[in-house]
Amino acid sequence: MKRLGLVGLLIVVVVVALYARSRSYLDREHVQFQATLWRLKHLDATFNEDLLRVRFSLLGSYDDFNHYLGEMDRLAASLHQPPRFVSSKARVAIEREAETLGARLQERGQLFERFKSRNATQGNSRRYFPVAVDELARRLGETTADRALTALLQDVTRVLLASAATPEALPSEALAEPARLQDWAARHPEHTEAEFVSSLAQHALQLLAGKSDLDAVTRELLALPAAGAIKRLSDLYEEELSTALRRTQQYRTLLYVLGGLLVVVIGYALRAMRAANRGLEARVSERTSQLQAEVEERKRTASALQTSEAFLHSLVENLPVYIFRKDRAGRLTFANKLFCDRFGKTSDQLRGRTVFDFLAPDEAARQHAMDERIMVSGEVYENAAEEMTLKGEQTYAQLIKAPVFDAAGRCTGLQGMFLDVTARKRAEADLEKVNRELLEVSRQAGMAEVATGVLHNVGNVLNSVNVSATLVMDRVRESKAASVPKLGALLKEHAADLGTFLTRDPRGRRIPDYVMTLSGELEEERATMTRELDHLRKNIEHIKDIVAMQQSYARVSGVLETVPVTELVEDALRMNASALVRHGLEVVRDYVDQPIISTERHKVMQVLVNLVRNAKYACDDSGRPDKQVTVRIALGEGRVRIAVIDNGVGIPAENLTRIFAHGFTTRKEGHGFGLHSGALVAKELGGSLTAHSAGAGLGAVFTLELPLQRESSSS
């Protein structure tokens, strides 16, 4: 029996090896490669189909195309590794075709970008034209010319709609409709809408011309031979697969022979199995006992589940939140204890009631309409704090509502909860009052900080004034001009025989050379003192400019001014100029736009001066040699964004959430008030102040966003 078992085991091993060898071609690499080819064919067909659907506005999104192109590129790349049973010659051919397919797919991606751009332009233009026509039609009267114009506009609209719905070229009489519209405008130049009609005609002509270009790109996309490359790959692979299948058939023939031998061995093994059957029956009996124990365990689990449900019910009933559920008609089907106590009713008394039974009529109608929208749309509604009127009492509630669906996906009602936040809203109102008071304090502190910066800058300039004055005094004290009186006295002494003295006396003969040397030195002294006096004059002018700028900002508190943003930024940079130069910072001005805004000049300056100063501190603390501060101005959606960007120490992620909190600072000498007051000022001006940083050591960006136009405080 033992020998028979070993023989049977050997046969089984050989059979399993042959079976695995015969199945390896089909079950692993073959299935994967064939699935890749099939998926490529499917994606190619789907791409072309969706392309036509997008072209004729049957599909409005381009998201799937990126998925198609990306997946086809990935699948084409995977074809470079065909299954192992493919011969070397066929492998080279398959890889070559895969490269050809990849090139076609790259070309398709480029063409699709052109198609997407042109199709989007055409779609936007087609949507604009009917809106413009309807607007114009409402402004037209009942005159003969206006009725003719209305008919022409309808004809042109039909032509444009027809051009969007067919790939074929339109007949010449249809293409002539925009020209008729232009002709009408030319024949009625005195009409109030003549210029608008002429622009509509030009727009229609551009739409018809763009259609031809879009159709050409579409045909070029559809004509790309990607499907041909996939077909050639399939043919090459099918040929290799046929060869592999013939080889597999040989393995299977040997399998059948060994299988027959295995049947004989199994017959002899049946006797042993009968004996083993008796032992199996004993194990079945043991397993039955185990199953009975498992049944008892499941009963205990069901009991625990009931306990958990009771706990959940108790939790819902005792949570400090109003919880309810309604049916499709808006009738209450459940309300927790807090909800019942709020309205002084029991659960049975509330069941079947609607919002019209506890809310004021207007509020009840609004809540009922909201419930209908939620159940129709299937979306969850959530608000931060909503004002409600409960039978004449004004309250605030934080409300969440969500639709309820049955197993078939049908909406059967909604459930929700709300929290009474009336006390919190009142506290927020008190906090807003405190914030306004704090804002005034911050304005005064900002003015003091700007004044401190002015004094600091003036002090730096006075140092330069002192250096220039000292240098001029030293040059005057050491001047060679003191030798001129001695020379005059010597010449006066020999005035009677001056010619003889200058030509024969050794001292006299040295006088001309001495005079030349003295004149050169005096000229050099004059140039040096002139240069230093010019520096002195410029530094004094700089002090005057700094003081004048501070006075101009101090005079306009609470008054709206129309001022260029670049002027505000440059003033803030000038107020910090000395500190920026002293610390070796490079200032980059990136003025993408140069708008003009209406705002309170001194408040904006307070924020900008603080931001530039903080950027200087951040760069200086980083210790890096290439310290840089970039100031960027850009427009967007009726607002101006002033960004102060530094490459300094950066802001850790945990500090970004509290960077504007009052009293928070990371500098030992900081007071934690500048950014907090800046955020309050930005909010008062109708804007915002935000911060962003990629992390410690990666610099930071502070963005001040302000409206271009702002109403005055008095209004």
Side-chain angles (χ1 to χ4, degrees):
M1 188 65 185
K2 186 174 182 179
R3 290 181 180 177
L4 185 62
L6 291 174
V7 172
L9 180 60
L10 180 60
I11 294 174
V12 169
V13 170
V14 174
V15 168
V16 170
L18 289 173
Y19 179 78
R21 181 67 176 170
S22 65
R23 293 291 295 173
S24 63
Y25 299 116
L26 300 175
D27 292 344
R28 294 196 303 271
E29 300 168 342
H30 162 66
V31 172
Q32 181 179 356
F33 197 86
Q34 196 172 52
T36 299
L37 289 173
W38 179 89
R39 181 61 178 164
L40 277 170
K41 293 178 183 177
H42 175 72
L43 288 172
D44 181 69
T46 304
F47 180 93
N48 290 336
E49 179 184 346
D50 286 354
L51 182 70
L52 292 174
R53 293 171 64 195
V54 167
R55 169 63 185 86
F56 297 112
S57 303
L58 299 177
L59 183 66
S61 173
Y62 295 95
D63 296 339
D64 289 338
F65 289 94
N66 295 327
H67 168 71
Y68 297 155
L69 293 171
E71 186 174 359
M72 290 180 77
D73 285 338
R74 181 181 61 79
L75 293 175
S78 68
L79 294 178
H80 287 278
Q81 296 179 346
R84 287 174 295 174
F85 62 78
V86 176
S87 64
S88 300
K89 181 179 179 181
R91 184 181 298 273
V92 171
I94 289 176
E95 290 177 354
R96 184 167 56 250
E97 288 296 336
E99 290 177 358
T100 301
L101 177 60
R104 297 293 178 268
L105 293 177
Q106 290 293 328
E107 186 177 354
R108 171 178 283 177
Q110 295 170 0
L111 282 174
F112 179 71
E113 289 301 321
R114 287 173 51 197
F115 169 83
K116 183 167 65 174
S117 174
R118 285 164 172 75
N119 194 51
T121 302
Q122 284 288 103
N124 291 335
S125 298
R126 286 197 299 270
R127 284 189 291 272
Y128 161 76
F129 194 88
V131 173
V133 168
D134 291 341
E135 179 65 24
L136 178 58
R138 284 193 293 270
R139 298 199 300 264
L140 294 177
E142 293 297 326
T143 66
T144 303
D146 287 352
R147 287 196 298 271
L149 176 57
T150 302
L152 274 175
L153 290 172
Q154 292 173 351
D155 291 341
V156 172
T157 302
R158 282 193 293 272
V159 168
L160 293 180
L161 292 176
S163 69
T166 176
E168 303 298 333
L170 295 174
S172 57
E173 58 269 22
L175 296 175
E177 292 298 334
R180 293 177 55 204
L181 197 60
Q182 279 187 321
D183 182 62
W184 186 94
R187 287 186 288 105
H188 300 84
E190 73 287 351
H191 197 279
T192 57
E193 302 294 341
E195 184 178 352
F196 186 72
V197 171
S198 179
S199 67
L200 281 179
Q202 288 294 334
H203 190 68
L205 289 171
Q206 291 173 0
L207 275 175
L208 294 176
K211 174 186 179 300
S212 300
D213 187 25
L214 180 60
D215 289 342
V217 175
T218 305
R219 286 192 294 271
E220 191 174 352
L221 266 172
L222 295 175
L224 277 175
I230 298 172
K231 173 113 178 22
R232 288 191 295 274
L233 280 167
S234 299
D235 293 342
L236 286 170
Y237 180 73
E238 291 295 336
E239 182 179 348
E240 288 297 308
L241 180 62
S242 299
T243 303
L245 289 176
R246 287 194 297 272
R247 192 181 307 118
T248 302
Q249 188 61 38
Q250 296 172 358
Y251 290 134
R252 288 181 177 174
T253 302
L254 184 56
L255 270 176
Y256 296 150
V257 175
L258 292 175
L261 182 59
L262 185 60
V263 169
V264 174
V265 175
I266 291 175
Y268 285 100
L270 285 176
R271 293 179 182 179
M273 291 178 64
R274 293 193 185 97
N277 185 52
R278 291 189 292 271
L280 180 61
E281 290 177 350
R283 290 196 297 272
V284 168
S285 176
E286 181 182 357
R287 179 58 181 160
T288 301
S289 300
Q290 293 175 352
L291 288 175
Q292 290 176 347
E294 289 179 4
V295 170
E296 292 298 325
E297 179 64 25
R298 290 190 178 184
K299 289 181 180 179
R300 288 193 294 271
T301 302
S303 176
L305 181 60
Q306 291 177 352
T307 303
S308 176
E309 289 178 349
F311 171 76
L312 180 61
H313 179 74
S314 174
L315 183 65
V316 170
E317 286 293 327
N318 294 285
L319 275 175
V321 179
Y322 301 89
I323 302 175
F324 60 90
R325 177 174 287 187
K326 301 179 183 180
D327 61 15
R328 192 65 181 79
R331 296 184 294 266
L332 281 172
T333 59
F334 170 79
N336 70 341
K337 184 176 183 300
L338 188 63
F339 192 99
C340 296
D341 294 343
R342 179 68 177 82
F343 296 100
K345 304 286 184 181
T346 64
S347 178
D348 292 335
Q349 290 172 334
L350 287 176
R351 190 175 291 111
R353 299 288 188 91
T354 67
V355 290
F356 293 96
D357 296 318
F358 359 93
L359 299 181
D362 292 343
E363 181 65 26
R366 190 176 71 85
Q367 292 291 333
H368 181 72
M370 180 194 303
D371 293 347
E372 286 296 322
R373 287 196 303 272
I374 293 172
M375 289 187 285
V376 170
S377 66
E379 297 178 350
V380 176
Y381 171 80
E382 180 177 0
N383 74 334
E386 181 173 322
E387 186 176 3
M388 302 175 63
T389 304
L390 300 179
K391 295 301 185 182
E393 180 183 355
Q394 294 296 119
T395 61
Y396 291 89
Q398 183 175 352
L399 181 63
I400 301 176
K401 292 182 179 181
V404 178
F405 300 96
D406 59 14
R410 295 185 297 268
C411 181
T412 59
L414 64 81
Q415 59 189 1
M417 61 181 180
F418 66 89
L419 181 66
D420 192 338
V421 293
T422 304
R424 189 185 75 188
K425 292 295 290 186
R426 291 170 180 166
E428 288 176 353
D430 295 338
L431 181 61
E432 179 65 23
K433 179 181 177 182
V434 173
N435 276 339
R436 286 195 299 269
E437 296 173 354
L438 182 61
L439 188 62
E440 178 60 24
V441 175
S442 72
R443 188 185 71 84
Q444 298 294 335
M447 292 175 63
E449 187 169 358
V450 172
T452 301
V454 170
L455 292 176
H456 181 74
N457 289 336
V458 170
N460 290 334
V461 179
L462 285 176
N463 287 335
S464 299
V465 170
N466 185 50
V467 170
S468 297
T470 302
L471 184 58
V472 171
M473 181 63 69
D474 291 342
R475 292 307 298 263
V476 171
R477 189 179 296 114
E478 299 171 0
S479 176
K480 298 295 183 178
S483 302
V484 174
K486 296 179 181 179
L487 178 61
L490 183 61
L491 292 175
K492 184 177 180 181
E493 181 183 347
H494 297 279
D497 57 343
L498 186 60
T500 303
F501 175 74
L502 292 175
T503 57
R504 296 181 180 180
D505 191 287
R507 292 182 301 166
R509 287 199 299 268
R510 288 198 298 269
I511 286 176
D513 294 335
Y514 175 74
V515 170
M516 291 298 296
T517 302
L518 180 62
S519 65
E521 292 178 352
L522 291 177
E523 178 62 27
E524 181 182 353
E525 288 179 3
R526 186 191 66 80
T528 300
M529 286 189 288
T530 300
R531 185 167 56 254
E532 292 302 326
L533 288 173
D534 188 56
H535 289 168
L536 186 63
R537 179 187 59 79
K538 290 181 179 179
N539 286 327
I540 294 174
E541 289 294 330
H542 190 189
I543 293 174
K544 290 172 60 181
D545 291 342
I546 293 174
V547 174
M549 182 166 55
Q550 170 64 9
Q551 290 174 341
S552 69
Y553 285 113
R555 286 197 299 266
V556 293
S557 175
V559 178
L560 293 183
E561 294 185 69
T562 301
V563 59
V565 177
T566 52
E567 180 179 316
L568 295 175
V569 172
E570 290 297 331
D571 286 349
L573 291 174
R574 277 196 295 272
M575 285 189 177
N576 289 279
S578 298
L580 295 174
V581 173
R582 185 174 65 256
H583 291 275
L585 270 76
E586 177 189 3
V587 177
V588 178
R589 293 166 171 82
D590 183 12
Y591 299 161
V592 179
D593 299 294
Q594 299 187 22
I596 297 176
I597 63 172
S598 176
T599 188
E600 295 185 48
R601 176 196 292 254
H602 78 286
K603 292 183 178 179
V604 178
M605 277 296 301
Q606 172 189 337
V607 179
L608 291 178
V609 167
N610 187 64
L611 292 182
V612 174
R613 184 167 298 155
N614 286 348
K616 183 262 296 182
Y617 288 139
C619 292
D620 198 43
D621 292 344
S622 69
R624 59 189 299 165
D626 57 336
K627 293 177 283 189
Q628 185 181 88
V629 174
T630 300
V631 183
R632 179 175 298 136
I633 303 175
L635 279 174
E637 300 178 357
R639 301 172 77 83
V640 61
R641 296 180 180 89
I642 307 172
V644 179
I645 308 164
D646 66 74
N647 61 350
V649 295
I651 306 172
E654 62 270 17
N655 289 346
L656 279 174
T657 57
R658 50 187 183 143
I659 192 72
F660 296 108
H662 180 264
F664 178 79
T665 181
T666 56
R667 292 194 297 111
K668 293 181 180 180
E669 65 276 12
H671 49 63
F673 196 64
L675 287 177
H676 176 70
S677 64
L680 294 178
V681 168
K683 183 178 180 182
E684 182 187 6
L685 295 175
S688 63
L689 179 61
T690 57
H692 172 74
S693 176
L698 299 176
V701 179
F702 285 85
T703 303
L704 174 63
E705 182 174 309
L706 297 171
L708 292 177
Q709 297 291 332
R710 177 173 174 261
E711 295 182 358
S712 63
S713 302
S714 61
S715 63

